[in-house]
Structure formats: C-alpha cells, structure tokens
Amino acid sequence: MNNEVFSTLMYALTKHAARDSFLDFLDSWGITEADYYDICGYLKETYDVRTYV
C-alpha cells in the first residue's frame, strides 16, 4: 500500500469518527487525546501519513 492510499484511509476513518465528536469517539475506545497525538506523530514519522484531525 502506498502512502497516498493509507492517507486516504486515515482521512476517511477520522472524518467518520469526527462526525459527532472526535473526542467522544476516542474516549469510547479508551484513547486519550495525548495518545492520539502520539499515534499521529508515529504515523507521520514512520509512514509519512497525515491523519487530518
């Protein structure tokens, strides 16, 4: 999978998750906002993928 396809998937997932409240979505999965930003950093650094949210 190339980075463009992965970025598109991440965009779709985060857009869907943010439809009502992205923070509520994260909380429902037991993920803190700080955890999410750590994940974003990892995806950007490792795969050059942007999450958009």
Side-chain angles (χ1 to χ4, degrees):
M1 174 179 353
N2 64 39
N3 287 351
E4 187 176 328
V5 172
F6 195 11
S7 289
T8 300
L9 173 64
M10 292 306 299
Y11 172 77
L13 292 173
T14 52
K15 183 177 179 177
H16 177 73
R19 198 167 271 157
D20 293 319
S21 169
F22 191 68
L23 292 178
D24 288 347
F25 169 79
L26 291 177
D27 187 51
S28 71
W29 286 95
I31 300 170
T32 66
E33 190 173 5
D35 291 336
Y36 177 72
Y37 287 119
D38 286 344
I39 292 166
C40 291
Y42 174 79
L43 291 173
K44 179 68 178 157
E45 186 176 308
T46 306
Y47 301 105
D48 195 30
V49 168
R50 192 171 153 218
T51 58
Y52 300 94
V53 175

